[in-house]
Amino acid sequence: MKTIATMLYSLKNLSRLDLNFYRDSITDDGVNTICSQVAKLMHLTSLTLRFGGTQATDVGVFYIIHALESLGQLSVLFLDLSWCNGVTDASAYKIAELLEANETLIDVKLDTRMSRVMQAGQTCLKKANTKAFVRFEIK
């Protein structure tokens, strides 16, 4: 994780980033390490974070949201939290708040399948689609 974080630090002018940790053994600490560097990429307009199948929990999602709040130019977001048993409705509520507050996002895709996000969390996420997103997809 430190190597990836160091690499991200050196790529400050990056506009598009896809990070795939799907089914990796990354924990909340690893999510924090990565996201703390992603938050510094001020020119980022498109971001894909695939943490599906990892050991990320609501704490890890807090780190992700904190990083996303720092990215003022972000217009495209794909966030994969599928198969994360530690991700619950609390995360869904925080993600929905972020989506509602963000002024620049136009293309959003979220995947929370097989996590512990239940009907209430799904409903909350769907209500976040009150803005005029060009594409808004929840799985």
Side-chain angles (χ1 to χ4, degrees), residues 98-112:
L98 170 79
L99 295 177
E100 290 172 355
N102 188 292
E103 299 290 329
T104 59
L105 279 173
I106 57 171
D107 188 347
V108 177
K109 184 176 177 185
L110 303 171
D111 190 347
T112 59

Side-chain angles (χ1 to χ4, degrees), residues 7 24 46 50 75 79 115:
M7 178 195 66
D24 198 335
S46 176
R50 296 179 191 260
S75 61
L79 181 56
S115 66

